[in-house]
Amino acid sequence: MIRFAAPEWALLALLLVVVAVAWRRLQLWLPLRATCLGLLVLALMQPEIRRLGKGLDLWTARPRRRTA
Amino acid sequence: MHLWPKDSALRAIQTRMQNAARRVRLPLRNRVWRGESGNWQGAGVGSSIDFQDHRPYLPGDDPRYIDWQAYARTGHYTMKLYREEVSPRVDVALDVSDSMFFDDAKRERALELFFFCAESALQAGSSLRCHAVGTVDSVPWTPGAALREAEWTRVSGPPTLGDLSANAAPAPPALARVPWRQGALRVLVSDLLFPGSPEPHLSLLAAAKGRGVVLVPYCRAESEPDLDGNVELADCETGARRTQHIDGGVLDRYRRGYGRHFEMWKEHARRYAVVVARVAAEENFHDALRADALPIGAVEMTH
Amino acid sequence: MSLSFANPAGFWALLALPILLGIHLLQRQSRRVVTSTMFLFDTLTPVSVEGRRIERLRNSLPLWLQLAAVVLLACILAGPRWLRRDSSQRVVVVLDSSVSMGAFRDELARALPAHLQTLTRVAARTEWHLLETDPARPTLYAGTELDALLAAAKAWVPHLGKHDFAPTLNVARGLAREAGVTVFVTDRRTDVPAGVEILAVGHPLDNCGWVGVSVNGDRWRALVQNHSATSQTRSWHIETESGASAETSLTLAPGQIRTLGGTLPAGKNRCELVLSKDGFALDDRLPLVRPEPKRVALAVNGDKSWDAFFNHLTGSLPDVDVASGTARADIRLEARAPAPAANPAEGRAIIFLSAPNSTTNLAGEPLAENNPLTAGLVWNGLLCKQTDPFMHQDGDETLVWQGDRPLIFLRGGRAERSLYVNFDVRQSNADRLPAFVVLLNRFVESIRAEKVSFERRNVETNQALEVAGDQAGPPLGMSGGGDASRAPFSPGFFEVRQGDRPLLEGAAHFADARESDFKAAETFDTLEGKSSQMAARNSRDDFLWPVLALALGALFLANWAATGRGPRGVRGGVAG
């Protein structure tokens, strides 16, 4: 299960779209460049994969005497 | 050889340009022409019904043109002047240096422009003469016919492409060898890709009461070269080589130099009343004309 | 705060630097492009000349941007972290006390410093604890010096056979608490409680070894096993103080057990069976002594009618001497009439009821009390006659009942404790009932065990020893020091003495076949993820990472701006 620790960085992608339009000479729509920036944004969002562990030992103890 | 298209392709271009010339034509309006009798208003007094002016009768004048109604009114012989109808002279020269046929798009556009000029002149009933002009000489040329090998050799001189010792800059077209007619509309189709001052060439176009129009086909490979990193450049005409590392800065300077080259041509052309219009090769023909040629009067709408 | 790197392997990315430079140099092998505007290029930068690569590289802005991007990327991959000054952790290292670990002392000495050094770097202060899985042993080290811990681990010797690690691991986990690491150092894959990391330092060994021995008189029979997965050839011989026998070659198939036998060297009480050496040394030598059990003296006291039974009984008891008088006897065998009821006890004895013949069978099923002497014995099928019994006394400890009648009971205090058989054996089938014969044997053996006398026997390493000593005498002592209640941990000869008096001469041999099997041994660890987890806990990188990542993105954009071409398809395209 994937979730993002810092999803707010997704806004950076919008900013990059603006940059791509405003500075066309950067040619950010080229596949390699777009991939690089996409990975960067993804990394900033810090994806986390949660795996279920093998389990843990649960110990419960209760007092045997009421006065304890 | 010389990337010359097949006859069928030439005919297709010619047909296409016949149609194109019905919408757009060479700048033949708003101009007083000298030439043989024809459809256009000449500078002399003529026999057309297009009334121009009155003037007093002088001995020797053709009595047929005395305005008898005016004589009845005034008692003076008055000559009725009609504008002479003439056929405008149009001289079209196609620069056949190798750079004109640099890539498919540019070659196509250059030939289109040449046929457009020819068709436009013919449809206007003008007196047309066409020339193929190389760096050495020019030959008369009937539009639609392929140039023969001998004519190529005559206009361009012996082939130099691939000659590694050649390091010279590309030579300009030999415009002085073109028999321009007096008072003709002189149309040069050339990419102007040669160094040096435009003055001598422009003066030839403007000499002897000629009016000059230069149509400049260009392709994206020249205006926006797709180059990066180390490249070995080879000149398509002289075969000269140079190794160049190309990055964004170099490209920027190239683009500025390229722009300056044509600005310089346009600026000098204004002094000689010659119109220099650039025509992009990669666009639709009409759009390409509309971008530059139409606004500055290198061509005009037929209606 | 001090800078550390969570993933120093990320710096391998710097190898991209020479590759990048190589690419830029290789670009000199340029492609050829035909152009129509050469004269325009002629007005630009001078032609780059062959052999001026360095200058050209230095002047290339994209190259510098790309180099910077590589350095930054390597920096990001290495995971720079600012270690908090106040960060501390507790690392509890638990060593597996299994003797199999002894085969990997060198591996342990190499692996332990390397892995623990890594852990040292993830917190400003580390508190170390070194335990072993034998809960009886004290903590080996506790403190903040890693070197001291490593020294303690080097001096440590594993000594246990197969045992349960869980108790010690649970203690260790409690010691490490939430913010600590528990590292279990062993030699094979094993199940551990959650939160315990494993550092396994073993690898499969082709081990062959002695797995057991029995000595009967002069004859010995020993088992040798190939624990490996491949066929193995060894040689073996017998060593005594005065010399060694010839080598005998021995080839064993995978897993095969072979029985070897022979005679103890004449006139020698000690010898050693020696197998050629391999990776695990403990089971390569099998020390033997000529067994000399304690003998028990019996005195028989009964009329003629009992002779047959007593002869049968004494003949079935091992290592006993029938004494003529009662004075020096360890046990008296005595037949008595039911009366007089109260007999004064005189030393240890087995008292049999001697009663007139009866025709009535005792009613009811025999029922045994819970006692070591009767444990596991089955009394069904015992037939006894109804006779007058010994009279019951306070303090009697009944072992077997039939109905209300104590059939067999113990009477007397510790020194005079005697076994009373409260039915006439001659009128029953008891001497053919295994439970009855075993019970008598057990009673005699218990007396033999309590007898203070010299014996010589073969035991397993670390086996519990019950050596009877004089109550009033000095404490028992093991040769070479150590605890006299257990055999030594390593194979060899030993002696238990009370003062000057030798009580036990023994040979301890290693016989835990499970520890000799190294097929499952392997090297691995689960610490990799843990150390970065600890580093994350003890340091902060949150403010650094986005800054570096954004800087990298900016370098990308700058690089593309420097190498980029202008927009295409724009009309005119002429600058200025």
Side-chain angles (χ1 to χ4, degrees):
Chain A
M1 188 177 113
I2 284 193
R3 60 176 220 116
F4 296 99
E8 62 273 14
W9 284 105
L11 293 173
L12 185 64
L14 289 178
L15 184 68
L16 286 171
V17 169
V18 173
V19 169
V21 172
W23 285 280
R24 293 168 69 92
R25 59 173 285 131
L26 289 177
Q27 291 183 285
L28 298 189
W29 54 86
L30 294 182
L32 196 62
R33 299 183 179 188
T35 307
C36 282
L37 292 176
L39 285 175
L40 192 74
V41 172
L42 192 69
L44 276 167
M45 288 168 70
Q46 298 180 33
E48 293 174 347
I49 297 180
R50 287 189 174 178
R51 284 181 303 184
L52 293 177
K54 280 193 291 184
L56 51 90
D57 302 337
L58 181 65
W59 296 70
T60 61
R62 68 181 177 87
R64 299 184 62 173
R65 290 185 296 153
R66 284 180 181 282
T67 54
Chain B
M1 79 157 238
H2 294 280
L3 304 167
W4 198 253
K6 290 179 182 156
D7 288 350
S8 60
L10 279 177
R11 273 195 297 279
I13 293 175
Q14 192 170 13
T15 311
R16 215 160 58 234
M17 289 304 109
Q18 278 169 357
N19 293 329
R22 291 191 185 105
R23 294 171 60 193
V24 188
R25 68 180 177 207
L26 287 172
L28 298 166
R29 197 190 294 154
N30 304 326
R31 174 77 166 89
V32 176
W33 296 104
R34 289 180 191 285
E36 294 139 34
S37 292
N39 300 329
W40 295 82
Q41 293 160 344
V45 178
S47 59
S48 74
I49 57 168
D50 193 358
F51 172 75
Q52 188 179 14
D53 202 0
H54 287 95
R55 72 166 167 81
Y57 171 79
L58 294 175
D61 281 346
D62 188 342
R64 287 179 297 172
Y65 298 123
I66 294 174
D67 186 345
W68 295 109
Q69 288 170 340
Y71 173 73
R73 280 197 308 274
T74 63
H76 299 289
Y77 293 109
T78 305
M79 294 299 294
K80 196 174 184 180
L81 298 184
Y82 295 86
R83 180 156 297 210
E84 188 184 25
E85 289 184 351
V86 295
S87 289
R89 292 171 182 155
V90 178
D91 290 344
V92 182
L94 173 67
D95 177 359
V96 291
S97 64
D98 287 321
S99 65
M100 287 292 284
F101 313 109
F102 178 63
D103 63 13
D104 291 345
K106 190 176 173 188
R107 181 187 63 206
E108 179 112 350
R109 185 52 36 97
L111 290 168
E112 279 176 353
L113 287 172
F114 175 71
F115 280 109
F116 164 76
C117 295
E119 291 301 327
S120 183
L122 288 174
Q123 285 179 21
S126 57
S127 159
L128 172 69
R129 280 193 200 165
C130 296
H131 308 274
V133 56
T135 55
V136 175
D137 201 354
S138 81
V139 291
W141 182 25
T142 312
L147 283 182
R148 290 188 305 277
E149 177 67 33
E151 290 169 328
W152 276 112
T153 311
R154 188 177 147 202
V155 298
S156 306
T160 55
L161 188 63
D163 182 359
L164 290 174
S165 65
N167 204 16
L175 294 185
R177 305 284 298 173
V178 179
W180 301 107
R181 287 176 291 171
Q182 177 103 9
L185 173 65
R186 296 168 185 179
V187 184
L188 171 64
V189 179
S190 170
D191 57 10
L192 304 183
L193 291 179
F194 46 86
S197 167
E199 300 270 353
H201 314 290
L202 290 169
S203 64
L204 280 170
L205 290 177
K209 296 183 181 173
R211 188 191 170 198
V213 171
V214 185
L215 295 174
V216 186
Y218 71 96
C219 59
R220 194 175 289 147
E222 295 160 0
S223 62
E224 297 292 336
D226 184 15
L227 297 175
D228 197 6
N230 282 342
V231 287
E232 187 192 45
L233 297 167
D235 191 283
C236 67
E237 292 185 13
T238 67
R241 308 232 177 126
R242 61 178 275 138
T243 306
Q244 176 76 47
H245 179 78
I246 297 192
D247 57 17
V250 172
L251 279 182
D252 269 345
R253 273 173 291 168
Y254 170 84
R255 277 193 288 266
R256 281 200 294 275
Y258 181 81
R260 263 201 310 275
H261 178 73
F262 291 103
E263 285 303 311
M264 176 184 73
W265 267 90
K266 289 192 169 200
E267 199 178 311
H268 283 86
R270 271 194 287 280
R271 252 179 267 155
Y272 289 90
V274 172
V275 182
V276 174
R278 304 187 68 225
V279 185
E282 279 85 2
E283 289 180 61
N284 167 283
F285 184 74
H286 282 284
D287 291 344
L289 288 182
R290 213 170 278 139
D292 190 27
L294 199 57
I296 63 173
V299 294
E300 62 190 16
M301 301 302 289
T302 48
H303 300 295
Chain C
M1 295 201 291
S2 65
L3 184 64
S4 69
F5 293 94
N7 176 33
F11 283 118
W12 284 106
L14 289 176
L15 285 180
L17 288 179
I19 295 173
L20 192 62
L21 287 171
I23 289 172
H24 274 254
L25 284 172
L26 284 175
Q27 275 191 347
R28 280 203 58 78
Q29 312 303 323
S30 50
R31 61 191 174 115
R32 192 171 163 203
V33 177
V34 176
T35 178
S36 55
T37 52
M38 176 78 102
F39 70 99
L40 288 174
F41 281 106
D42 288 339
T43 62
L44 302 177
T45 48
V47 181
S48 49
V49 183
E50 293 277 348
R52 297 180 63 192
R53 295 174 179 184
I54 301 303
E55 183 179 280
R56 193 172 48 76
L57 284 175
R58 185 166 54 231
N59 289 336
S60 164
L61 177 65
L63 171 64
W64 284 114
L65 290 172
Q66 285 159 21
L67 293 178
V70 168
V71 171
L72 200 57
L73 185 67
C75 199
I76 290 175
L77 288 177
R81 293 172 178 282
W82 299 96
L83 205 59
R84 289 203 305 266
R85 280 201 188 287
D86 60 344
S87 60
S88 70
Q89 64 175 351
R90 187 176 286 185
V91 178
V92 184
V93 181
V94 183
L95 301 173
D96 180 356
S97 297
S98 306
V99 287
S100 62
M101 282 290 287
F104 304 113
R105 293 182 67 85
D106 292 345
E107 287 83 348
L108 178 68
R110 277 196 300 272
L112 207 54
H115 284 88
L116 297 186
Q117 285 288 1
T118 314
L119 282 175
T120 313
R121 287 194 283 272
V122 302
R125 184 176 175 278
T126 305
E127 190 183 330
W128 302 99
H129 288 262
L130 182 64
L131 313 180
E132 61 175 307
T133 50
D134 181 359
R137 292 285 185 95
T139 299
L140 294 169
Y141 175 76
T144 56
E145 299 296 322
L146 177 58
D147 289 343
L149 178 140
L150 294 175
K154 198 166 185 177
W156 164 79
V157 179
H159 60 276
L160 287 186
K162 195 92 179 163
H163 61 288
D164 184 12
F165 316 128
T168 314
L169 290 179
N170 282 326
V171 167
R173 211 167 42 145
L175 201 60
R177 296 198 298 267
E178 186 74 4
V181 194
T182 306
V183 184
F184 178 43
V185 184
T186 180
D187 61 356
R188 60 197 69 197
R189 209 167 278 279
T190 176
D191 282 337
V192 293
V196 175
E197 308 304 325
I198 295 184
L199 170 57
V201 296
H203 54 79
L205 294 177
D206 293 332
N207 183 41
C208 289
W210 304 103
V211 289
V213 71
S214 64
V215 184
N216 199 355
D218 279 352
R219 303 282 309 170
W220 59 265
R221 281 157 56 83
L223 299 176
V224 61
Q225 183 177 7
N226 174 9
H227 299 283
S228 77
T230 55
S231 182
Q232 297 289 322
T233 300
R234 296 283 191 276
S235 62
W236 68 277
H237 64 268
I238 302 180
E239 270 181 26
T240 61
E241 296 156 335
S242 53
S245 72
E247 292 278 345
T248 310
S249 181
L250 179 70
T251 299
L252 296 168
Q256 187 190 351
I257 300 177
R258 172 94 55 95
T259 308
L260 304 177
T263 319
L264 292 172
K268 303 287 185 189
N269 286 333
R270 291 183 176 189
C271 68
E272 236 177 327
L273 303 180
V274 181
L275 199 63
S276 49
K277 275 189 177 176
D278 54 27
F280 185 58
L282 276 184
D283 59 1
D284 292 341
R285 297 181 79 88
L286 180 75
L288 286 181
V289 290
R290 187 187 299 275
E292 186 185 323
K294 293 188 222 176
R295 297 195 75 81
V296 175
L298 293 177
V300 180
N301 188 7
D303 59 28
K304 288 280 181 203
S305 63
W306 284 87
D307 281 353
F309 174 74
F310 282 153
N311 285 338
H312 180 66
L313 178 60
T314 52
S316 74
L317 295 171
D319 303 318
V320 294
D321 302 313
V322 179
S324 50
T326 59
R328 297 178 60 88
D330 298 311
I331 308 180
R332 285 176 293 116
L333 302 182
E334 198 172 324
R336 276 195 200 166
N343 296 80
E346 301 160 8
R348 316 296 291 268
I350 304 177
I351 314 289
F352 296 93
L353 180 68
S354 181
N357 284 352
S358 162
T359 53
T360 324
N361 279 337
L362 263 176
E365 280 292 309
L367 196 68
E369 288 278 352
N370 193 10
N371 188 287
L373 290 174
T374 57
L377 300 183
V378 178
W379 295 90
N380 294 346
L382 177 63
L383 295 172
C384 309
K385 297 297 184 189
Q386 177 76 52
T387 58
D388 289 342
F390 291 127
M391 293 311 291
H392 179 76
Q393 289 183 1
D394 288 343
D396 287 353
E397 185 182 349
T398 306
L399 298 177
V400 182
W401 298 88
Q402 187 154 19
D404 293 340
R405 178 168 178 156
L407 269 190
I408 303 171
F409 59 86
L410 293 168
R411 177 175 289 176
R414 179 172 165 72
E416 297 88 25
R417 199 159 185 80
S418 296
L419 185 71
Y420 282 74
V421 179
N422 198 9
F423 58 92
D424 194 323
V425 177
R426 295 166 304 173
Q427 298 180 50
S428 80
N429 63 350
D431 58 344
R432 291 187 299 280
L433 189 74
F436 182 69
V437 180
V438 171
L439 174 68
L440 295 184
N441 249 300
R442 283 180 180 174
F443 185 71
V444 172
E445 287 308 312
S446 73
I447 287 164
R448 192 198 307 274
E450 287 167 14
K451 181 176 180 177
V452 179
S453 167
F454 175 79
E455 71 172 322
R456 195 186 295 121
R457 63 187 158 112
N458 294 299
V459 297
E460 292 185 10
T461 50
N462 202 25
Q463 178 185 324
L465 300 176
E466 285 178 4
V467 182
D470 195 346
Q471 297 282 345
L476 300 180
M478 172 70 78
S479 55
D483 183 8
S485 67
R486 280 195 175 273
F489 292 121
S490 48
F493 299 103
F494 64 94
E495 218 175 27
V496 177
R497 287 171 170 271
Q498 186 169 36
D500 292 338
R501 184 181 178 188
L503 292 178
L504 173 64
E505 182 185 351
H509 60 268
F510 180 77
D512 193 339
R514 294 170 300 183
E515 292 295 312
S516 303
D517 187 346
F518 289 89
K519 285 199 287 287
E522 61 176 313
T523 297
F524 73 98
D525 69 87
T526 60
L527 280 167
E528 193 57 50
K530 190 68 183 175
S531 56
S532 49
Q533 196 182 329
M534 296 298 293
R537 190 201 300 275
N538 293 323
S539 58
R540 48 183 312 215
D541 68 330
D542 44 335
F543 70 99
L544 211 54
W545 150 242
V547 172
L548 291 175
L550 286 177
L552 184 65
L555 278 177
F556 281 167
L557 294 180
N559 181 40
W560 294 331
T563 58
R565 301 140 205 161
R568 293 181 175 186
V570 176
R571 187 171 293 161
V574 178

